[in-house]
Amino acid sequence: MDGLARMVGAGRDCADIITQLTAAAHALDRVGFLLVAGELRRCAASASAADAEERLAAVEKLFVRLG
């Protein structure tokens, strides 16, 4: 993000800035999906079925927000 701010401040070409902004957005999306996948694995391994259902419902809501 700092790099993007520097690009804007330096007056870099708009196409270059948009390219980097798109790359940063995709990277954040990938990290978000990895975090959700990790939480889904933890839910599946949960000892309590009731707890797992509640946690899965919460993670599902977060997953929908990412999409």
Side-chain angles (χ1 to χ4, degrees):
M1 302 320 281
D2 288 337
L4 282 166
R6 284 193 299 274
M7 288 177 76
V8 171
R12 294 279 302 269
D13 182 65
C14 290
D16 292 340
I17 294 169
I18 291 169
T19 298
Q20 290 304 312
L21 183 59
T22 302
H26 286 294
L28 287 171
D29 285 345
R30 284 191 303 272
V31 169
F33 284 118
L34 288 171
L35 290 171
V36 169
E39 183 61 19
L40 286 171
R41 280 193 288 277
R42 281 190 290 281
C43 287
S46 176
S48 165
D51 182 48
E53 284 298 317
E54 183 178 318
R55 290 176 65 195
L56 281 172
V59 170
E60 183 178 278
K61 288 179 185 178
L62 292 172
F63 189 75
V64 170
R65 285 184 187 170
L66 286 173

